[in-house]
């Protein structure tokens, strides 16, 4: 049995027209001799009646008094509804299909509500359904604990669902459908000259995704990488092949990668920078700050620790809560709202001198202040004011000539 896993995000199932395009891709898979397992996100985005953020708004998130367990019960409804609607429309097209919740599809998780981890996959029900069905539609983003509790697996969870299904079913490929033509060198909404990449390594797309590129969730890439299942990121609205994410020699990856230092520019807006200093006992301050953030379930990022204090970023929606916590501990945090992180990512950065100098010079030349920086083998991060985000990303995209196809040596239009 040849199996293909396809994932359709919220914008791909938001209305009848979009779902018709998604069904077109399902039909293409069937015509190529595959049985197709589809995973779907909730329909639409905030404002749409069944979108996840809309459902959360019903319980006053993020200021809700509803427990994380109850939040998961609420949030899982969007994908369940979406799977039934999509299955119904497949059947209207004469395609034999059945819809399953995450639990029915055999997705078992731990009990870490709102950000559960998949602990086990049991695809036996899916295989059973595929004996007389051509398509199984699975509600993404959700699973079930050993006690039967419904859980959700965090933002990007439908990508993770698709990858877990692809790995467990030993699918030939996982196709992630979105509203762009593949993985881009930068967000095309910010950079007009951004272009789709034909190929990219698992590691590169993981780094781009962790740094804000929203086209695919990094957990999904990691699952597929360990299972050696290739991913293809494509547009729902075209028949272009999109971007192949793989690491196998058979895919001839690397032909146009070895010559490119930087693969793409990612960004993350809506950040708040927090600076906390203490002259009395810096080690106690460091412990107090990060323990208190963890206890409040506030994720911290871009961490710089010095003998005099700490510097880090959080999502801006938690800024007021974090400030109050630190004040209660007796500290006087400096809060800077309206920040954005810009990340320059590329496997070719490792061992190449001058990349940081180029980034700093590029931003300095256009009058952009760097508030904070850090680096790894494949990524260099800078924190800037959010108002400078668009010119910063465009300038860096130009500096590293990402609008030029490294394989053809031509500027893309």
């Amino acid at each position: 049995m040849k199996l293909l896993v396809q994932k359709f995000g919220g914008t791909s199932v938001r209305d009848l027209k979009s779902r018709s395009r998604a069904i077109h891709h399902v039909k293409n898979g069937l015509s190529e001799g595959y049985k197709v397992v589809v995973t779907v996100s909730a329909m639409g985005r905030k404002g749409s009646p069944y979108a996840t953020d809309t459902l959360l708004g019903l319980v006053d998130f993020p200021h809700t008094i509803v427990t994380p367990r109850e939040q998961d019960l609420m949030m899982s409804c969007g994908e369940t509804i979406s799977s039934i609607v999509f299955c119904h429309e497949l059947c209207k097209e004469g395609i034999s299909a059945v819809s399953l919740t995450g639990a029915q599809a055999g997705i078992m998780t731990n009990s870490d509500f709102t950000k559960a981890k998949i602990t086990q996959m049991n695809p036996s029900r899916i295989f059973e359904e595929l004996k007389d069905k051509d398509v199984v539609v699975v509600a993404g983003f959700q699973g079930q604990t050993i006690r039967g509790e419904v859980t959700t697996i965090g933002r990007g969870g439908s990508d993770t669902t698709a990858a877990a299904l692809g790995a467990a079913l030993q699918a030939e490929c996982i196709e992630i459908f979105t509203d762009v033509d593949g993985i881009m060198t930068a967000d095309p909404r910010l950079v007009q000259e951004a272009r789709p990449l034909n190929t990219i390594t698992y590691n590169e797309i993981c780094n781009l995704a962790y740094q804000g590129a929203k086209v695919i969730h990094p957990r999904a890439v990691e699952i597929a990488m360990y299972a050696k299942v290739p991913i293809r990121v494509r547009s729902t609205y075209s028949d272009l092949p999109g971007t192949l994410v793989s690491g196998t020699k058979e895919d001839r990856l690397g032909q146009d990668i070895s010559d490119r230092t930087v693969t793409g520019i990612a960004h993350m807006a809506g950040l708040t920078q927090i600076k906390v200093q203490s002259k009395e006992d810096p080690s106690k301050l460091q412990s107090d700050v990060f323990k208190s953030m963890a206890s409040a379930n506030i994720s911290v990022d871009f961490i710089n620790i010095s003998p005099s204090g700490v510097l880090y970023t959080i999502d801006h929606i938690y800024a007021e809560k974090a400030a109050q916590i630190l004040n209660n501990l007796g500290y006087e945090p400096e809060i800077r709202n309206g920040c954005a992180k810009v990340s320059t990512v590329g496997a070719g950065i490792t061992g190449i001198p001058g990349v940081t100098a180029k980034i700093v010079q590029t931003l300095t030349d256009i009058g952009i202040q760097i508030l904070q920086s850090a680096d790894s083998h494949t990524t260099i991060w800078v924190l800037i004011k959010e108002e400078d985000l668009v010119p910063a990303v465009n300038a860096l995209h130009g500096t590293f000539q990402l609008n030029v196809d490294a394989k053809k040596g031509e500027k893309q239009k």
Side-chain angles (χ1 to χ4, degrees):
M1 185 187 299
K2 288 173 59 180
L3 288 174
L4 177 66
V5 172
Q6 295 181 329
K7 177 261 177 177
F8 297 101
T11 58
S12 298
V13 294
R14 63 187 169 192
D15 53 31
L16 184 59
K17 183 178 179 181
S18 296
R19 292 193 295 274
S20 294
R21 281 297 307 172
I23 290 171
H24 164 76
H25 291 293
V26 175
K27 287 179 177 179
N28 283 346
L30 294 173
S31 70
E32 293 170 7
Y34 290 102
K35 294 276 190 170
V36 182
V37 177
V38 173
T39 183
V40 290
S41 298
M43 295 187 289
R45 291 180 176 166
K46 189 172 183 179
S48 301
Y50 307 115
T52 301
D53 287 334
T54 303
L55 295 172
L56 283 172
L58 296 174
V59 291
D60 196 29
F61 185 83
H63 307 294
T64 182
I65 59 171
V66 167
T67 67
R69 173 188 171 276
E70 292 161 332
Q71 287 178 45
D72 273 1
L73 281 172
M74 172 68 84
M75 290 192 292
S76 67
C77 295
E79 277 71 18
T80 301
I81 292 168
S82 184
S83 67
I84 296 165
V85 171
F86 197 80
C87 180
H88 166 69
E89 291 173 4
L90 285 168
C91 292
K92 285 177 67 177
E93 292 287 323
I95 299 168
S96 59
V98 64
S99 63
L100 301 176
T101 65
Q104 291 168 335
I107 301 172
M108 303 300 295
T109 73
N110 63 16
S111 57
D112 194 4
F113 294 107
T114 75
K115 50 181 182 298
K117 297 290 190 295
I118 297 173
T119 57
Q120 185 179 344
M121 293 291 295
N122 179 7
S124 58
R125 173 73 180 272
I126 295 176
F127 282 122
E128 187 65 28
E129 296 289 355
L130 287 173
K131 288 179 180 178
D132 59 4
K133 299 289 192 301
D134 289 323
V135 181
V136 173
V137 184
V138 179
F141 182 58
Q142 59 178 253
Q144 179 178 275
T145 70
I146 196 169
R147 295 181 58 190
E149 296 279 11
V150 174
T151 58
T152 64
I153 52 181
R155 294 293 183 175
S158 292
D159 289 348
T160 305
T161 300
L165 289 169
L169 297 167
Q170 296 183 315
E172 294 198 17
C173 186
I174 301 162
E175 293 187 322
I176 304 291
F177 287 92
T178 181
D179 53 2
V180 293
D181 289 331
I183 296 165
M184 310 290 283
T185 52
D187 188 334
R189 291 167 295 187
L190 271 62
V191 181
Q192 288 188 348
E193 291 190 325
R195 65 177 182 86
L197 295 159
N198 294 324
T199 59
I200 193 169
T201 66
Y202 288 120
N203 285 331
E204 285 177 310
I205 186 53
C206 267
N207 285 324
L208 282 170
Y210 273 122
Q211 304 313 321
K214 296 180 174 62
V215 72
I216 186 170
H217 197 279
R219 284 170 62 190
V221 179
E222 290 172 352
I223 290 170
M225 178 172 62
Y226 289 127
K228 297 182 179 178
V229 179
I231 299 172
R232 192 171 287 279
V233 180
R234 306 178 58 190
S235 170
T236 305
Y237 307 100
S238 81
D239 289 323
L240 293 173
T243 304
L244 180 66
V245 185
S246 181
T248 61
K249 293 179 181 178
E250 289 78 12
D251 294 312
R252 299 171 67 85
L253 287 181
Q255 288 187 350
D256 68 330
I257 291 174
S258 58
D259 293 330
R260 71 186 188 209
T261 303
V262 173
T263 300
I265 310 295
H267 72 275
M268 194 177 295
L271 301 179
T272 293
Q273 183 192 54
I274 298 180
K275 183 178 182 180
V276 191
Q277 291 184 298
S278 173
K279 296 179 180 178
E280 296 179 2
D281 190 349
S283 59
K284 181 178 183 300
L285 175 145
Q286 295 160 9
S287 177
D288 284 349
V289 168
F290 296 118
K291 280 184 178 179
S292 66
M293 295 297 103
S295 296
N297 204 28
I298 298 174
S299 177
V300 300
D301 188 27
F302 219 145
I303 303 164
N304 292 147
I305 299 175
S306 69
S308 61
V310 297
L311 191 65
Y312 61 97
T313 61
I314 61 172
D315 190 302
H316 75 283
I317 66 171
Y318 298 111
E320 185 177 338
K321 183 178 181 180
Q324 186 61 53
I325 289 168
L326 295 169
N327 284 325
N328 291 342
L329 289 172
Y331 298 111
E332 298 179 359
E334 295 179 29
I335 309 294
R336 184 192 290 267
N337 292 307
C339 296
K341 180 169 68 170
V342 177
S343 306
T344 302
V345 178
I349 288 176
T350 304
I352 302 298
V355 179
T356 299
K358 273 189 177 182
I359 293 170
V360 173
Q361 191 63 55
T362 296
L363 298 181
T364 300
D365 285 347
I366 57 175
I368 293 177
Q369 180 186 13
I370 297 174
L371 306 173
Q372 199 175 339
S373 67
D375 68 275
S376 72
H377 289 297
T378 58
T379 307
I380 298 171
W381 304 271
V382 293
L383 190 72
I384 60 174
K385 296 175 183 176
E386 191 167 345
E387 64 194 47
D388 294 329
L389 179 59
V390 174
V393 174
N394 276 273
L396 292 171
H397 194 272
T399 291
F400 292 104
Q401 298 185 305
L402 296 180
N403 59 329
V404 176
D405 190 322
K407 196 171 186 179
K408 298 177 182 178
E410 298 173 352
K411 185 174 180 179
Q412 300 297 294
K413 296 181 180 179

